[in-house]
Amino acid sequence: MRVFLLTGLIRLVAFVFALVAMWLFLRNYISFNRNTIRLPRWLGEWVVLKTKCGLSKPCPANFFAFKISSGAANVVGPSMCFENEIIMSPVRNNVGRGLNVALVNGTTGQVLRKGSFDMYSGDPKHLVEFLAEIPDSTLVLVASYDDPGTKMNEEIRKLFFNLGSSYAKELGFRDSWVFLGAKDLKNKSPFEQFLKNNPETNKYEGWPELLELEGCVPRKVY
């Protein structure tokens, strides 16, 4: 009888040890992103599934994943992710005050050009030239930082309007703005967020809160 109890106890300890080992493995070695799946309740853990750019759900076939974040006040710069590649960010040291713009081939997903344009004390003609030379079927990603509107003029507003923007016409001093449009877009882009600089509602002293925009944009198929 004692032998039987001892054998049962050893099996129970081994089973518990296996569960603990599995839990530690899942906790320490599986590194994913945002989507979650529920494991059996007896494990009591959540595991996160990897998606491009950390989206809340994966994009379907023939769609590109993207995420754009505006800057936070004049402290933290904006960032852009496209198809799981960080194309602009403070870490890459390729963002700056004003408007940050990236051009991506709408068919291949290849990054074509990137630029940062100072809209407080810079010359707006550089942004005009950049936008006027955009090839057809090109995706345009935009993120504001600090002040995107002081040097904004009607020519620039019209260029962004033609790319599908609904808010470029309102963009002003220290507003927050994130946008994804396209050169040959026939309708208004569904990928845009805008927040007006308002002392009564600003999250930061002198600036509205940062904006995040993510989604799946269809690939241009000929």
Side-chain angles (χ1 to χ4, degrees):
M1 185 69 176
R2 290 181 178 178
V3 174
F4 177 79
L5 291 175
L6 182 59
T7 301
L9 181 60
I10 292 174
R11 290 177 177 175
L12 178 61
V13 170
F15 178 73
V16 172
F17 178 82
L19 291 182
V20 172
M22 183 182 297
W23 178 81
L24 290 173
F25 175 81
L26 291 173
R27 182 177 181 180
N28 296 321
Y29 293 99
I30 297 182
S31 176
F32 295 116
N33 249 320
R34 279 194 172 178
N35 284 350
T36 58
I37 57 172
R38 190 74 179 268
L39 291 176
R41 292 182 179 178
W42 48 271
L43 277 179
E45 286 290 317
W46 289 79
V47 176
V48 185
L49 293 178
K50 184 175 183 180
T51 58
K52 292 180 178 179
C53 294
L55 267 59
S56 56
K57 60 181 180 179
C59 292
N62 289 320
F63 279 74
F64 295 121
F66 76 90
K67 178 181 286 186
I68 308 172
S69 299
S70 69
N74 63 345
V75 179
V76 180
S79 64
M80 298 181 190
C81 176
F82 192 86
E83 280 294 279
N84 220 33
E85 178 187 355
I86 303 299
I87 57 178
M88 298 190 77
S89 75
V91 174
R92 287 189 171 272
N93 197 32
N94 61 356
V95 295
R97 177 175 66 181
L99 290 174
N100 298 271
V101 187
L103 306 182
V104 178
N105 185 296
T107 300
T108 66
Q110 178 185 2
V111 178
L112 303 175
R113 292 182 66 190
K114 295 169 283 188
S116 178
F117 304 91
D118 187 344
M119 299 300 289
Y120 179 75
S121 60
D123 190 337
K125 74 176 184 180
H126 299 306
L127 179 56
V128 171
E129 294 170 356
F130 185 93
L131 296 176
E133 296 173 357
I134 297 176
D136 291 339
S137 303
T138 298
L139 299 174
V140 183
L141 290 71
V142 184
S144 66
Y145 179 33
D146 188 7
D147 175 25
T150 295
K151 290 295 185 77
M152 180 67 65
N153 57 41
E154 289 307 310
E155 186 176 9
I156 296 174
R157 295 183 196 279
K158 184 177 180 180
L159 287 168
F160 279 123
F161 176 85
N162 291 338
L163 294 170
S165 172
S166 299
Y167 293 106
K169 60 185 179 182
E170 303 177 34
L171 195 63
F173 177 65
R174 289 185 176 177
D175 292 342
S176 288
W177 184 43
V178 285
F179 169 65
L180 186 149
K183 176 63 181 290
D184 50 1
L185 197 62
K186 296 180 180 179
N187 301 305
K188 291 303 172 186
S189 170
F191 303 116
E192 186 173 23
Q193 290 188 25
F194 173 75
L195 199 55
K196 198 70 180 172
N197 171 22
N198 185 335
E200 297 182 0
T201 59
N202 285 345
K203 182 173 181 179
Y204 314 112
E205 186 176 349
W207 290 269
E209 67 178 312
L210 68 83
L211 295 173
E212 285 191 343
L213 178 68
E214 66 174 53
C216 304
V217 60
R219 182 191 301 267
K220 178 76 173 181
V221 179
Y222 295 96

